[in-house]
Amino acid sequence: MSVHDGILLNLVQYPDLSLQIKPKRKTSLSIRFLQLTAPASGDCLRLHVRGPICPSGYPQSKLGAVLILLYEEAGELRVLLTTRSKTLRTHPGQTALPGGRVDDTDASFIETAYREAHEEVGLPLSSPDIHTVAVLEPAISLYKIIVTPVVAILTRPSLLNELKAEESEVFCIFTHPLRAVLDPTIAKSEPLVDIGTEDWPYEVELHSTSDTVVPLLGNMKYRMHRFRSSASPIKGLTADLLIQTAKIAFGHSPTYEQYALGQLQTFKEISAFVTDGLIKVKESA
């Protein structure tokens, strides 16, 4: 049995994974990402539902999840993204990961992420070609929603051709190289939107940043990242979650300075400043 066979066999200990991921002769990027979830590789991408950071102690109305669906094409890991409908009340026309708030029927953040992806783009709720690999550290949105990223690997990319946008929620579906959020120059080979248009109203070619003072974070600075794509800009919380995922997947930091001076970086640090509406439910005696 090869090393890669062993890695894949180790993955079956997780309830959401299956043996239907077939080993390849050479190390592919998707296999490398899966390798990071194997027990021998530590806790960097293990399911955090068993880890020290779990937002389940907060009110359900403040909990959400998104699906970071990755697949391999031409030697690159790509991520599934959407442009939100321009008629939505919040964040109209902005880039998003499939996802939304936790529903009463959801048994876990994984279920939330998949249910929302099914509703928004028609992703199958159960497929032998989709493999959950991790639940990462949550983040907090400007609306004080705790967003938990669920990472999955798609092993049959042709399934993307079967997706259909729910017009009331999604304007379009597109993909982007995951590595390009660490090194924006990688996106140069993409069919990018024109500079100076509604979809990229910035003078820089690929990556725009700005630092702002955020009252939600105790008046500390926050660096907004914006990445040019083939559709709408990838920015804000969506960009932050993809950067977090890419750093783990590829094992290195971005080619640019990710944080503003003094910026809070972890969920623990940020949640300490966000108290209104995020009061933990007291544990029963």
Side-chain angles (χ1 to χ4, degrees):
M1 182 173 64
S2 70
V3 174
H4 293 150
D5 290 341
I7 291 169
L8 294 174
L9 287 174
N10 284 334
L11 292 173
V12 300
Q13 69 169 311
Y14 300 120
D16 295 283
L17 303 176
S18 83
L19 274 173
Q20 297 193 30
I21 307 176
K22 297 181 179 179
K24 299 181 179 180
R25 293 181 179 178
K26 296 182 179 180
T27 303
S28 67
L29 289 176
S30 57
I31 293 298
R32 168 169 165 72
F33 195 90
L34 291 171
Q35 182 178 8
L36 292 175
T37 69
S41 301
D43 296 328
C44 55
L45 266 182
R46 288 194 185 187
L47 296 179
H48 281 267
V49 290
R50 296 196 294 266
I53 298 175
C54 181
S56 59
Y58 292 96
Q60 180 179 306
S61 62
K62 293 295 182 180
L63 300 179
V66 295
L67 182 66
I68 300 178
L69 184 65
L70 305 174
Y71 70 98
E72 186 177 355
E73 181 179 280
E76 284 284 356
L77 275 182
R78 300 184 69 88
V79 60
L80 177 70
L81 294 163
T82 70
T83 298
R84 290 168 58 85
S85 169
K86 298 181 180 181
T87 63
L88 290 174
R89 182 173 57 86
T90 59
H91 308 298
Q94 293 189 13
T95 298
L97 292 157
R101 298 201 190 197
V102 171
D103 192 57
D104 290 335
T105 61
D106 298 333
S108 66
F109 296 115
I110 295 174
E111 282 197 13
T112 300
Y114 281 113
R115 174 183 55 76
E116 289 285 344
H118 176 70
E119 294 174 0
E120 293 177 9
V121 299
L123 189 75
L125 287 174
S126 178
S127 170
D129 304 307
I130 301 173
H131 311 269
T132 307
V133 294
V135 177
L136 302 184
E137 179 178 288
I140 301 178
S141 75
L142 291 178
Y143 287 88
K144 300 180 182 178
I145 304 299
I146 301 177
V147 181
T148 297
V150 176
V151 183
I153 291 287
L154 172 65
T155 53
R156 182 171 66 87
S158 61
L159 186 146
L160 297 175
N161 299 326
E162 303 169 16
L163 302 184
K164 183 178 180 181
E166 170 53 54
E167 293 183 1
S168 64
E169 296 187 58
V170 175
F171 176 72
C172 73
I173 302 169
F174 68 103
T175 68
H176 195 73
L178 180 65
R179 200 156 53 101
V181 300
L182 297 182
D183 181 359
T185 61
I186 291 171
K188 285 185 176 183
S189 60
E190 296 290 302
L192 302 174
V193 296
D194 292 333
I195 296 175
T197 62
E198 177 185 3
D199 291 322
W200 189 252
Y202 312 105
E203 295 181 358
V204 294
E205 182 183 7
L206 299 167
H207 177 220
S208 168
T209 64
S210 60
D211 294 351
T212 57
V213 174
V214 182
L216 181 69
L217 302 179
N219 290 325
M220 290 192 177
K221 286 187 176 180
Y222 165 75
R223 178 158 295 168
M224 167 79 78
H225 292 277
R226 307 173 188 87
F227 299 94
R228 187 175 165 206
S229 75
S230 60
S232 46
I234 302 169
K235 64 180 184 178
L237 183 64
T238 298
D240 293 340
L241 294 177
L242 292 181
I243 294 169
Q244 173 192 15
T245 304
K247 285 167 65 176
I248 297 171
F250 299 106
H252 64 81
S253 299
T255 57
Y256 50 84
E257 192 64 41
Q258 182 178 355
Y259 299 106
L261 183 64
Q263 180 176 334
L264 303 176
Q265 300 179 20
T266 67
F267 175 76
K268 183 177 181 180
E269 291 173 334
I270 295 172
S271 61
F273 283 88
V274 186
T275 56
D276 182 23
L278 286 179
I279 305 300
K280 282 193 174 182
V281 179
K282 291 184 179 180
E283 296 181 0
S284 57

